[in-house]
Amino acid sequence: STYHAVIGGVVAVIVFLLLSLLIVLGHYLIRHKGTYLTHEAKGSDDAPDADTAIINAEGGQPSSDDKKEYFI
C-alpha cells in the first residue's frame, strides 16, 4: 500500500507540473498574438507605386533641397 501512495504522489506531481506548464505556455501564446501598431508615413496608402508613396508621404525624411548647416 505504500507503493500505491508513492506512485500516486509521483503521478500527482507530474500532472501538476504539466498543468502549470500548459498555463504558462497558454499565457505566453495569448500575450504574443495580435496586431501591432506601426507608425507608417501618412499619405502613402493610396499611392500606385513606391516612388509616389515616398514623394506624397508626410513626416518622412526631409528633402535634400533644404539648406544644410554644418557646425565645426
Side-chain angles (χ1 to χ4, degrees):
S1 67
T2 55
Y3 293 117
H4 291 267
V6 170
I7 291 173
V10 169
V11 169
V13 168
I14 290 173
V15 169
F16 177 75
L17 289 176
L18 286 175
L19 287 175
S20 299
L21 181 66
L22 184 66
I23 291 171
V24 169
L25 282 175
H27 179 70
Y28 176 79
L29 290 175
I30 289 172
R31 191 171 174 206
H32 285 82
K33 218 175 187 184
T35 58
Y36 296 94
L37 282 177
T38 58
H39 300 286
E40 301 292 331
K42 296 178 182 174
S44 62
D45 296 333
D46 300 325
D49 59 354
D51 294 329
T52 309
I54 292 172
I55 293 170
N56 294 339
E58 297 175 8
Q61 296 291 331
S63 64
S64 61
D65 297 337
D66 293 340
K67 181 179 175 184
K68 296 184 181 185
E69 296 180 16
Y70 297 98
F71 295 101
I72 300 176

